[in-house]
Amino acid sequence: MSFYTYNVVAFVLINASIAYLQRRRDGKTAIARTQNSVQDGESGRAALTAEEAVIWQFKKKFMPVYLLAFGADWLQVWPYIYTMYKDEKSLPEETVAHLFTTGFLAAAISASFVGSLADRYGRRSACLFFCIAYSLSCFTVLFDDIYILFAGRILGGLSSTLLYSVIESWMVTEFHRQKLQDAGALSDIFGLMITGNAVVAIAAGLFAQHLADFTGTQAAPFLAAVVLLVLAFGFISSRWNENYGDSHNANVDGLLPASEEKEKNGFQYIYQGEQSYEDTEKAMLMEDIDKRLWALCLTSSCFEGTMYLWIFFKFPALKLFHEEGGKGSELPFGMIFAALMCAMMLGSLFFTYYYSLKPGRWIVSPSRMLTITLFVASTCFILPVLVHNEAVTFWCFCVFEICCGIYFPSIAQLKEKIVEDGVRAKIYGILRIPLNIFVVLGLMLTKDGKQLS
């Protein structure tokens, strides 16, 4: 086996071991809870069984839509977008760069209002609109007209904002609306989302490669993505309830009624500095929320912005060190992608397993875990610059993916605790504005080159 195949096999074995330990621990926990409920009587056991059944039904309602939506996104992986524009449509490099930049600018601009609209008119409706908009974006690749292609990137940017804001907003709000008290279940869902996303990414990457080879066109995966979006549309329309933010005038599905304070837009909600409160305790609370929101905004912008830039340049970096090592054969990009996704899965499995342990001296808070993750992730980009080695670079990239697997459920858990349900989609959208601006500036400052300095 090759170097990269060995790494894939190693990651699969490690992931399988952690998954086995997690399942074994869950089994012991279930037995312990059942024994406790027996001591509390038949009513306690019935209540426990009913809540577990509701949580299971909730996962069955949410996870298929989440995986279908992100599966459609993964089918349009960046190499296919680039090669389709550059090779199949013979567009100049500068035009391709403008198309990418347009997508991120559209995402940044749309993030300022799509969350507010979702809170006002319904997160379920916003998710249905996402399926339609992303499908239209996929269909634009069938045309050679440059204006249609730019329209496709605008729709893609809008859809990206919806994908990363309203779907999770609906899930968290619906979890609270159903008054599910098991906090561990929500952490488990966050971990399951990232684990499932990694599995879907691997499957989508392999399927897209075979589909493109079979059809002879890089546009085929985009059309396959439309099929997944149609399925997601069907699941949402038939299984999901509607939920709203506090800006909606009616008291819908048991959510809190609208209040004058919550009518603020997302920017005003985050920036509380100009607000004054007669109640000192309330003022201190709002100041604390303000600081935490700013910290979330800065963290997500830097980490996720870096991740997006890394997506563009990870393969060129490995290829550069591969050539410097005097190896003439081409890199197995499909195997590398699978290894990196397995590494991300390892991070999410670790997160789920770690927070299923009993609280103790070694269990740190999600915020402390996030701090450690950010520190480790930063070292993953220092070593490749100092040590020009293909294997070292690949392992650093794997560690970074592990950090991604820990980061996403950690940041999701923090957002769930800090952001109120009534303005959840609004704030989730606002938090993506600086992220997209960060990526656009990073791409604008990028220069072609053969050496790292």
Side-chain angles (χ1 to χ4, degrees):
M1 290 189 293
S2 66
F3 168 77
Y4 293 107
T5 305
Y6 275 119
N7 281 274
V8 171
V9 172
F11 277 123
V12 169
L13 292 176
I14 296 173
N15 287 337
S17 300
I18 295 180
Y20 171 76
L21 292 175
Q22 177 65 34
R23 185 170 182 177
R24 185 177 178 182
R25 178 173 292 278
D26 290 342
K28 292 181 178 179
T29 302
I31 294 173
R33 293 177 65 180
T34 302
Q35 291 174 347
N36 292 334
S37 64
V38 170
Q39 295 176 359
D40 295 336
E42 292 296 327
S43 60
R45 181 166 54 184
L48 176 63
T49 304
E51 183 175 356
E52 289 178 341
V54 171
I55 292 174
W56 171 245
Q57 290 299 322
F58 182 80
K59 290 180 181 178
K60 288 172 60 178
K61 182 187 296 184
F62 170 70
M63 286 304 299
V65 174
Y66 177 85
L67 296 179
L68 285 170
F70 275 87
D73 190 53
W74 280 114
L75 282 173
Q76 309 167 57
V77 290
W78 295 111
Y80 291 109
I81 297 179
Y82 179 85
T83 56
M84 183 188 59
Y85 287 149
K86 186 73 169 62
D87 300 331
E88 289 196 8
K89 299 187 180 299
S90 301
L91 295 177
E93 186 77 28
E94 184 178 1
T95 303
V96 176
H98 289 161
L99 284 167
F100 279 110
T101 304
T102 298
F104 281 105
L105 284 176
I109 294 172
S110 62
S112 64
F113 61 85
V114 294
S116 298
L117 294 177
D119 286 338
R120 179 175 294 275
Y121 298 106
R123 283 79 177 260
R124 173 180 176 271
S125 299
C127 292
L128 292 173
F129 177 75
F130 154 77
C131 295
I132 297 173
Y134 216 6
S135 296
L136 293 175
S137 174
C138 294
F139 279 125
T140 61
V141 304
L142 299 177
F143 300 89
D144 294 329
D145 186 88
I146 190 64
Y147 295 105
I148 296 179
L149 294 178
F150 271 102
R153 295 317 309 148
I154 293 173
L155 287 172
L158 169 64
S159 302
S160 177
T161 298
L162 290 167
L163 177 65
Y164 285 96
S165 58
V166 296
I167 294 180
E168 184 178 324
S169 297
W170 180 91
M171 185 274 291
V172 175
T173 302
E174 188 68 12
F175 187 91
H176 293 161
R177 189 190 70 82
Q178 294 188 21
K179 296 181 173 59
L180 300 176
Q181 303 299 322
D182 191 347
L186 192 55
S187 298
D188 181 62
I189 292 175
F190 287 138
L192 185 62
M193 288 163 59
I194 306 305
T195 302
N197 195 12
V199 174
V200 167
I202 297 172
L206 295 174
F207 178 74
Q209 180 66 62
H210 289 297
L211 186 62
D213 293 341
F214 178 76
T215 59
T217 174
Q218 303 287 358
F222 291 82
L223 300 182
V226 175
V227 177
L228 298 187
L229 292 168
V230 170
L231 292 174
F233 187 96
F235 274 106
I236 295 171
S237 58
S238 62
R239 296 188 178 185
W240 283 21
N241 301 317
E242 186 64 276
N243 61 48
Y244 300 86
D246 288 339
S247 57
H248 189 264
N249 292 327
N251 184 1
V252 182
D253 287 340
L255 291 178
L256 294 174
S259 63
E260 181 179 355
E261 179 183 334
K262 303 245 179 83
E263 288 296 328
K264 300 176 293 186
N265 62 46
F267 296 102
Q268 291 172 325
Y269 186 87
I270 293 177
Y271 183 70
Q272 298 285 347
E274 296 181 359
Q275 299 294 327
S276 60
Y277 299 95
E278 295 180 0
D279 188 340
T280 305
E281 183 178 353
K282 183 176 182 181
M284 294 176 63
L285 175 62
M286 296 308 297
E287 182 180 358
D288 184 51
I289 292 176
D290 175 44
K291 291 179 180 179
R292 289 186 294 171
L293 283 174
W294 277 109
L296 280 179
C297 183
L298 180 62
T299 301
S300 62
S301 299
C302 293
F303 186 91
E304 296 178 39
T306 302
M307 182 192 69
Y308 278 117
L309 293 177
W310 172 74
I311 288 174
F312 281 102
F313 305 121
K314 60 183 177 183
F315 288 148
L318 287 172
K319 188 175 180 180
L320 171 63
F321 295 134
H322 187 75
E323 293 174 351
E324 286 184 353
K327 302 174 183 178
S329 59
E330 289 292 329
L331 284 173
F333 290 119
M335 192 64 66
I336 295 173
F337 179 78
L340 293 175
M341 289 300 99
C342 285
M344 187 175 74
M345 188 190 307
L346 174 59
S348 63
L349 287 173
F350 167 79
F351 174 88
T352 303
Y353 179 77
Y354 181 78
Y355 283 104
S356 68
L357 300 174
K358 292 182 179 179
R361 58 182 296 184
W362 299 110
I363 304 298
V364 301
S365 65
S367 58
R368 180 61 60 86
M369 174 66 73
L370 188 60
T371 303
I372 297 172
T373 301
L374 294 174
F375 174 78
V376 174
S378 65
T379 63
C380 296
F381 297 108
I382 297 175
L383 285 178
V385 176
L386 300 177
V387 182
H388 288 206
N389 181 273
E390 180 184 351
V392 172
T393 301
F394 170 75
W395 285 325
C396 286
F397 288 174
C398 288
V399 173
F400 179 73
E401 282 284 19
I402 293 173
C403 292
C404 289
I406 300 173
Y407 164 84
F408 281 107
S410 298
I411 199 78
Q413 196 170 30
L414 290 174
K415 287 192 294 185
E416 180 268 331
K417 293 179 179 179
I418 295 173
V419 182
E420 298 181 24
D421 285 338
V423 290
R424 189 168 298 279
K426 182 187 301 182
I427 299 303
Y428 281 18
I430 293 295
L431 292 176
R432 295 193 64 80
I433 294 178
L435 159 64
N436 287 284
I437 294 175
F438 179 94
V439 176
V440 170
L441 293 176
L443 292 176
M444 291 175 60
L445 296 174
T446 300
K447 302 292 183 182
D448 290 333
K450 288 292 185 180
Q451 295 181 353
L452 296 175
S453 58

